[in-house]
Amino acid sequence: SEQRPSSKFSHNEEEAHPGYYRVKLLDSGFDAELSATTRCGIHHYTFPSGKAQRMTIDLNHSSEKGGIWDRKIINSQLRIVSPTVVEGYRTITGWAKLRNVYFHVEFSRPFVAHELVDNGRKAYDAPVINGSDLHAFLDFDNKSANDLTVKVAISPVSVANARENMAAEATSWDFNSYRESADQVWNKYLQRIEVEGSDKDKTIFYTALYHTLVQPNTMSDVNGEYMA
């Protein structure tokens, strides 16, 4: 389907910790796990045995119908670099004018087929597509393995910097190593303050402390470059 994928889920099939999130998508039956480094997102998917393995990259997901800031995509690009690498960018306006986000994506297994689409217009065999409503549909071999790891590096400056960010922070394919590292980083921050009280009091306090640390972003790349 070329429609935006969605799925029912249950909180009984969901797990969340600082630096880690897991949920079972009930409509398709596969597990999605997420973790991160400072500049990279790390995904791990486990598909049901024998079922189709399709991934969608949706560059217009957060901008549908504009939202409260009248968001819209000025331009975006998806490029198939190889069967394991996709790169691109999008230029978005809204709360920040003409903000660029560049990305470099690597897959632990090659996709065996792909389709690039802009607002229903297919690029067929072209390895690159530009537009304002881009989707990439990637199909993976469901006989070779049931799990897939995806590494996504972003940069506000360039695709080259996104590649460099990944080379510096995410060379391993071991998802659990990223989860453990993220856990250690969060523990370091959450242990800055120790409180006494009931379990309810501690839950309220540490949830509030966690929330104070969620929003700040690192806007520079590993080489020190950033957009002023």
Side-chain angles (χ1 to χ4, degrees), residues 211-224:
H211 285 164
T212 67
L213 298 167
V214 168
Q215 184 58 40
N217 296 301
T218 299
M219 292 303 295
S220 59
D221 292 320
V222 293
N223 61 12

Side-chain angles (χ1 to χ4, degrees), residues 100-145:
N100 291 321
V101 179
Y102 300 89
F103 63 88
H104 170 82
V105 182
E106 295 186 7
F107 302 91
S108 60
R109 292 190 284 125
F111 45 87
V112 295
H114 73 270
E115 187 173 68
L116 302 178
V117 179
D118 174 32
N119 195 25
R121 177 181 63 87
K122 298 180 182 180
Y124 295 99
D125 294 332
V128 61
I129 189 170
N130 289 274
S132 59
D133 186 15
L134 298 187
H135 294 73
F137 300 96
L138 311 176
D139 293 306
F140 295 83
D141 181 7
N142 64 358
K143 298 180 178 61
S144 61

